[in-house]
Amino acid sequence: DQSESAYDFQQRTGRLDLGLYDIAGQPLSFTLRGRSRQDVRARTLSDRTPNSERTDRLYEVALRYQPPSDQFGIEVGRIGIYRFVGIGYLDGALAHFRPVRDFQVGAFGGRVADVDSLSFEGTGSKYGGFVRLAPGGRYSTAGYDAMLAFVHETADGDLSREYLSLESRFGSGSRWSLFQRAE
C-alpha cells in the first residue's frame, strides 16, 4: 500500500499433505494433512486485528486398515471429511463392513474435532452410524454412491445436535460428477 494509510499485508502459508500406502506390505495407510498461516500487517488496525496473527490447523492424522476385498475397514485418529462430509471431522474411530456386495454399514465415535488448532482437545462427543449403497466398490469413479448417516453430538455433556445426513455422488469417470448433501 503506497498511500499514507500503510495497509501493507503479507499472508504466509505452509501446507502439509502426506499419504503413505501399503505400509509394511499390509493394507495400511496413513494420512497427515495440515496448514499453517501467518498474517503480517504493517501496523495494528484494532484490538481485534493485530499486526501479526497465526493460525495452525490439523485437518487429518489418521491410520486406516482396509484390505483390497473392501469387506471391512477401520480408521483411527483425526478422521477427515474426504469420504463422509456429513459426519464432519472426528477425533476417534470409524469402522465399516459389507454384509452384501453393494451395501455397507458402519459406526463411528469419538470427540468433535477442533481443526482450528493442533490439539486433540475436542469440544464434545460425537457418535453414530451409517448405511451406504456403494455398488462401484472402493475405487469406483463411475456410477453412484449414496449414504445415510445418523449423527449425535454433545457439548459440555449436553445434547448439541442430532441429525440425519444424506449424501450422494453420481459420476461418469473423469468426465463429470455430481455431489449432493442434505442434513
Side-chain angles (χ1 to χ4, degrees):
D1 184 4
Q2 301 296 324
S3 71
E4 295 174 17
S5 301
Y7 288 129
D8 287 346
F9 175 81
Q10 293 180 23
Q11 189 173 69
R12 302 169 184 161
T13 302
R15 292 182 49 139
L16 176 63
D17 193 351
L18 173 69
L20 302 173
Y21 301 93
D22 297 324
I23 299 170
Q26 298 297 314
L28 290 171
S29 62
F30 174 79
T31 306
L32 174 62
R33 293 185 313 114
R35 185 202 76 195
S36 180
R37 176 173 287 162
Q38 183 176 16
D39 295 338
V40 180
R41 296 172 186 83
R43 64 187 184 101
T44 301
L45 301 177
S46 71
D47 290 340
R48 295 183 318 175
T49 312
N51 66 335
S52 182
E53 192 172 25
R54 183 177 171 151
T55 56
D56 297 319
R57 294 186 174 183
L58 182 60
Y59 295 111
E60 187 172 19
V61 56
L63 182 65
R64 292 179 181 81
Y65 177 78
Q66 191 162 0
S69 68
D70 198 31
Q71 286 299 110
F72 67 95
I74 188 165
E75 304 178 35
V76 295
R78 171 151 303 159
I79 300 168
I81 62 171
Y82 78 97
R83 190 178 314 198
F84 304 124
V85 176
I87 293 173
Y89 290 99
L90 174 72
D91 288 340
L94 182 145
H96 61 86
F97 76 99
R98 287 185 185 273
V100 294
R101 183 174 161 247
D102 295 341
F103 189 71
Q104 190 179 69
V105 296
F108 56 91
R111 296 186 60 84
V112 177
D114 179 12
V115 296
D116 292 333
S117 72
L118 297 177
S119 75
F120 287 92
E121 297 175 15
T123 58
S125 66
K126 179 190 288 192
Y127 61 86
F130 60 90
V131 294
R132 183 175 175 212
L133 181 61
R138 182 167 126 185
Y139 300 109
S140 176
T141 58
Y144 63 93
D145 179 313
M147 183 190 77
L148 178 65
F150 168 75
V151 182
H152 175 95
E153 293 182 16
T154 63
D156 298 324
D158 295 326
L159 177 64
S160 173
R161 296 185 348 138
E162 267 186 341
Y163 60 96
L164 290 174
S165 173
L166 175 64
E167 298 177 28
S168 57
R169 292 172 180 81
F170 303 91
S172 174
S174 61
R175 308 274 278 150
W176 62 271
S177 65
L178 175 66
F179 172 76
Q180 169 286 139
R181 177 175 176 263
E183 185 176 295

